[in-house]
Amino acid sequence: MELINQTAVSEFLLLGLTDDPALQPLIFSLFLSMYLVTILGNLLIILAVTSDPHLHTPMYFFLSNLSFTDICISTTTLPKMLVNIQAHTQSISYTSCISQVCFVLIFGGLESCLLAVMAYDRYVAICHPLRYTTIMNSRLCVLLVLLCLLVTTMNALLHSLMVLRLSFCTALEIPHFFCELVQLIKLACSDTHINNLLIYSVTSLFAGIPLSGIIFSYTQIVSSVLRMPSMDGRYKAFSTCGSHLLVVSLFYGTAFGVYMSSAVSDSSIKNVVASMMYMVVPQMLNPFIYSLRNKEMKGVLRHLITGMPSL
């Protein structure tokens, strides 16, 4: 295959879910609906947290940041896909593709880190309730979010800069609906050993540390709750963690599904569907999970939408 330098690459082709023209209107409508629901739902969460003083707590501060991250990660991938379907094209410029890789890594990693920080917040609230306000002060909360953003940005820039050194073959078709790092590296004709090493080492590290923190936090939470003498106390403690546990299960469950799909299957369609479940579905469902399972959030959202006073 002909080798071309990265400076000569002007664009890549995003093959998406299917090239069947008859299915394009259905796919466009489906993804547009999912994108609008994601934006609206997460904006309502942010608006609810910022407008109600009762929600000015560390837990809801982290939740609003999670909602903002969900908006960003969806906006990084879906609008370009929708524009391509509407314009009957599959192209994405080289610069846009590299930028998309970078921002997907930033916001995907940031979501993982925020879920770990939220687990730590629940750990402090349940295991050290008397010191909760002292430990989880506003300064620490802001520093934790900034640290998450700094770490994930450094990780994303590292991967993106390593992609810039690659040379690509004339076949520039990406069997995906966005520029995914692994698929992009597979198109390279130059040596990719360093890139693959970074993916399996650095990415595993960045995914493993937050997941380990979540597991540790909930191990301590379960141990503390089981020592409570009152059943009402146990129920109340577990109920404060229910929404977060559901979101964690959805996020890491779909991430594990993407990994298993790419490991055991060579089908590009199956990999695209698995990635869609990871990149689109959790971000759309998170607002519903937190609003339907949380009485405080449900009351504030009811007040925002209907004008009825929150209970």
Side-chain angles (χ1 to χ4, degrees):
M1 299 179 71
E2 183 183 349
L3 182 70
I4 54 179
N5 189 269
Q6 70 268 22
T7 57
V9 177
S10 60
E11 64 181 23
F12 294 95
L13 296 179
L14 298 173
L15 300 185
L17 287 170
T18 178
D19 56 358
D20 187 352
L23 293 177
Q24 295 303 313
L26 175 62
I27 294 174
F28 178 84
S29 301
L30 175 63
F31 277 88
L32 178 61
S33 301
M34 296 174 74
Y35 179 63
L36 292 177
V37 170
T38 301
I39 298 298
L40 180 60
N42 283 289
L43 279 178
L44 282 175
I45 294 291
I46 296 172
L47 183 60
V49 173
T50 55
S51 64
D52 194 302
H54 295 95
L55 300 184
H56 293 176
T57 63
M59 181 177 74
Y60 292 110
F61 171 73
F62 295 131
L63 176 59
S64 62
N65 279 276
L66 182 68
S67 293
F68 178 74
T69 303
D70 286 339
I71 291 174
C72 291
I73 196 170
S74 298
T75 303
T76 300
T77 56
L78 291 183
K80 179 57 181 176
M81 176 189 179
L82 295 172
V83 168
N84 279 6
I85 293 176
Q86 196 70 2
H88 304 288
T89 182
Q90 296 177 318
S91 65
I92 181 172
S93 68
Y94 176 83
T95 303
S96 297
C97 189
I98 300 299
S99 299
Q100 199 174 68
V101 167
C102 184
F103 284 114
V104 165
L105 290 173
I106 289 175
F107 296 120
L110 183 57
E111 181 151 356
S112 177
C113 288
L114 285 174
L115 289 174
V117 170
M118 293 171 77
Y120 174 71
D121 172 72
R122 292 299 83 204
Y123 158 73
V124 177
I126 294 173
C127 298
H128 305 283
L130 298 180
R131 296 196 297 155
Y132 177 71
T133 54
T134 303
I135 296 175
M136 300 302 297
N137 56 72
S138 57
R139 182 172 178 271
L140 178 63
C141 292
V142 172
L143 285 177
L144 286 173
V145 173
L146 290 178
L147 178 62
C148 290
L149 182 60
L150 175 63
V151 170
T152 55
T153 301
M154 290 176 59
N155 175 52
L157 288 176
L158 176 62
H159 285 293
S160 302
L161 291 173
M162 292 303 295
V163 170
L164 290 176
R165 55 178 283 275
L166 298 177
S167 297
F168 295 90
C169 304
T170 51
L172 299 175
E173 296 179 345
I174 301 175
H176 229 299
F177 66 92
F178 69 97
C179 286
E180 202 265 336
L181 178 63
V182 174
Q183 298 296 332
L184 190 61
I185 290 175
K186 286 181 180 179
L187 298 179
C189 287
S190 54
D191 182 43
T192 60
H193 285 94
I194 297 178
N195 298 79
N196 290 324
L197 181 63
L198 281 174
I199 289 176
Y200 290 110
S201 59
V202 179
T203 304
S204 298
L205 182 68
F206 278 98
I209 291 177
L211 183 58
S212 299
I214 292 171
I215 293 173
F216 171 79
S217 295
Y218 275 103
T219 300
Q220 297 298 311
I221 288 172
V222 171
S223 176
S224 179
V225 170
L226 291 178
R227 291 196 299 267
M228 293 180 179
S230 169
M231 288 300 296
D232 291 338
R234 293 182 183 182
Y235 175 77
K236 185 177 180 181
F238 277 129
S239 65
T240 62
C241 303
S243 299
H244 181 258
L245 267 176
L246 201 54
V247 170
V248 168
S249 301
L250 183 63
F251 180 81
Y252 282 101
T254 52
F256 182 73
V258 171
Y259 173 78
M260 291 301 297
S261 175
S262 60
V264 304
S265 174
D266 292 329
S267 172
S268 59
I269 295 297
K270 290 182 179 179
N271 292 338
V272 171
V273 172
S275 293
M276 183 189 72
M277 294 296 294
Y278 171 65
M279 294 295 300
V280 179
V281 175
Q283 289 72 26
M284 181 184 67
L285 294 181
N286 285 353
F288 293 99
I289 294 173
Y290 274 102
S291 60
L292 294 177
R293 292 184 57 86
N294 189 299
K295 291 182 179 180
E296 289 181 320
M297 183 63 68
K298 192 186 301 184
V300 175
L301 289 175
R302 184 189 301 114
H303 175 66
L304 287 174
I305 296 172
T306 65
M308 294 173 59
S310 56
L311 301 177

